[in-house]
Amino acid sequence: MNDNRGIDDNGLWIRRFQPRPDAGVRLVCLPHAGGSASFFFPMAKAMPDGVDVLCVQYPGRQDRRAEPLIDNIPDLADRVYAALLPWADRPLAFFGHSMGATLAFEVARRLEREKDIVLTALFASARRAPSVVRAENVHERDDDGIVREMQRLSGTDAQLLGDEEILRMVLPAIRADYRAAETYRYEPGPALRCPVVGLAGDADPKVGVDDVAAWGRHTESSFDLRVFDGGHFYLTRHQRAVVEEVAGRLV
């Protein structure tokens, strides 16, 4: 298989910041609501040689800003699933943060159902389990309300929040992502066959540790829970520990 896959249409969805063509496993990283592939650049650089990191870029942000937004998880999962099939020539693992964890779960379901591909592991970070429902309506707020939520979670650079022109450009994508995450409803079905690892911040204002622990209901394989000190974006503070946790289960 040709390993120069960054120049075709697939390159719109998949970014490889640190190509490791000889790695034994591919780790697919799926960002949070409003996030982009570049959020995982530090993780991609820090992973050992045995892990080839693929970062998903959603439509409507950065170099994909002019593309139509996708505001629901099922359609987004269908597109990511299709984009990942050319990369399934070796074992896959997923790391999803916040909304990205829900998306990772749905893509993993499609891989198992359609291709009988079972992940090496699914890492669900800072996101309640699919079957845990919380009433949320951030996507229905005005622009100021969405900005306040972003500030509360401390997930966006302060300089970005202070630049109104940039905010006007990115807020449609953020709103669409929040709509996708908040309107998602789990459809009962077979549990995943892969191991699942839940990762949580002990001071996350959005997701409780018990909500993350509930991921154990969604696999017939093993489940482990790791709790870090910090909030919704605990992983920016604990990058080294998170990388060690992930790499230790993959290589």
Side-chain angles (χ1 to χ4, degrees):
M1 180 178 291
N2 181 7
D3 211 29
N4 296 317
R5 284 166 286 192
I7 60 174
D8 55 14
D9 182 66
N10 186 257
L12 292 174
W13 288 90
I14 307 300
R15 308 299 161 91
R16 256 169 125 200
F17 299 119
Q18 186 74 32
R20 299 183 178 95
D22 297 325
V25 62
R26 303 194 195 279
L27 176 67
V28 180
C29 295
L30 299 103
H32 53 281
S36 62
S38 58
F39 176 77
F40 290 108
F41 179 82
M43 181 179 288
K45 296 288 286 186
M47 279 291 165
D49 289 341
V51 182
D52 188 23
V53 179
L54 312 178
C55 303
V56 175
Q57 182 80 313
Y58 308 140
R61 63 221 66 208
Q62 295 182 335
D63 58 332
R64 303 191 69 184
R65 185 165 57 85
E67 296 180 42
L69 300 169
I70 300 176
D71 65 357
N72 67 89
I73 294 294
D75 286 350
L76 192 55
D78 287 343
R79 298 294 299 277
V80 174
Y81 161 78
L84 285 175
L85 288 180
W87 299 92
D89 58 327
R90 65 194 63 184
L92 295 173
F94 287 176
F95 186 103
H97 183 68
S98 196
M99 180 191 80
T102 301
L103 181 59
F105 171 75
E106 286 296 335
V107 178
R109 288 178 117 184
R110 285 157 173 75
L111 286 170
E112 288 194 3
R113 182 177 66 238
E114 304 297 333
K115 299 294 183 180
D116 198 31
I117 294 174
V118 179
L119 300 181
T120 300
L122 188 154
F123 300 90
S125 169
R127 181 64 174 169
R128 63 180 182 267
S131 56
V132 177
V133 179
R134 296 281 182 269
E136 297 175 316
N137 64 349
V138 174
H139 71 279
E140 297 177 348
R141 300 179 189 176
D142 61 15
D143 290 353
D144 289 342
I146 292 180
V147 171
R148 284 194 296 272
E149 177 68 7
M150 293 160 63
Q151 291 171 327
R152 185 174 77 97
L153 297 180
S154 301
T156 302
D157 185 85
Q159 183 178 359
L160 171 62
L161 290 175
D163 189 322
E164 291 186 6
E165 183 177 357
I166 293 178
L167 272 178
R168 282 197 296 270
M169 290 191 297
V170 301
L171 274 173
I174 295 170
R175 187 183 299 279
D177 286 355
Y178 269 104
R179 182 180 295 114
E182 294 177 345
T183 61
Y184 169 79
R185 293 296 179 266
Y186 166 71
E187 293 187 5
L192 295 177
R193 288 180 278 158
C194 66
V196 174
V197 180
L199 302 99
D202 62 1
D204 190 334
K206 190 177 183 70
V207 182
V209 172
D210 288 347
D211 292 339
V212 180
W215 277 93
R217 307 171 189 165
H218 295 282
T219 178
E220 63 182 41
S221 183
S222 63
F223 174 76
D224 291 303
L225 177 67
R226 284 294 312 275
V227 181
F228 299 84
D229 63 287
H232 195 63
F233 286 86
Y234 71 89
L235 69 174
T236 59
R237 183 193 307 177
H238 298 288
Q239 176 188 299
R240 181 173 180 178
V242 171
V243 168
E244 289 177 352
E245 174 70 25
V246 173
R249 295 174 183 270
L250 298 182
V251 295

